Amino acid sequence: IEIRKENILNCLINSQGKVLLDEEPTTVDQIHRIVGQKLRKNDKLIISVKAHPKTAYNDYVRVIDQLKMADAKRISIANSN
C-alpha cells in the first residue's frame, strides 16, 4: 500500500530524548497540541515514530503518551537503524 507523503508525520526521538516532528524541534509536552492540530486538518494522518537505539524507555513512553493524548489512532513504530 502506497501512503501519500502528506499523510505521514515523522516523529524522531534521539538518544537524549529530544524530539523532532517533521524535522522541527519540539518539546515532549508540546506533542499532543501540535499532533492534535495536524489531526484536525488531516484525519488520515499516520504518525511514524522512530527512536534512536539508545533512547531511554521512559522518553519513548512519554512520547507515545502524548500521541495518545492527541487522540492519535494511527501510529507506526519504525526501526531506527
Side-chain angles (χ1 to χ4, degrees):
I1 297 173
E2 187 70 30
I3 299 170
R4 294 169 52 179
K5 190 170 184 151
E6 64 267 17
N7 290 339
I8 298 174
L9 172 66
N10 288 301
C11 177
L12 305 175
I13 313 166
N14 74 10
S15 59
Q16 287 85 41
K18 304 281 188 217
V19 177
L20 295 176
L21 285 178
D22 276 348
E23 300 182 18
E24 290 290 320
T26 307
T27 65
V28 173
D29 295 335
Q30 292 176 319
I31 293 172
H32 77 277
R33 183 181 54 78
I34 293 168
V35 171
Q37 289 171 350
K38 291 181 180 284
L39 284 168
R40 284 189 287 282
K41 292 179 188 171
N42 180 356
D43 65 346
K44 294 181 176 144
L45 193 66
I46 298 168
I47 296 90
S48 174
V49 179
K50 288 185 184 176
H52 186 277
K54 297 206 184 293
T55 299
Y57 180 74
N58 187 51
D59 292 333
Y60 185 78
V61 169
R62 287 180 58 221
V63 169
I64 298 299
D65 285 346
Q66 288 284 313
L67 295 175
K68 287 170 41 181
M69 285 172 54
D71 206 26
K73 303 286 187 215
R74 296 179 176 102
I75 300 171
S76 168
I77 308 300
N79 267 341
S80 179
N81 296 336

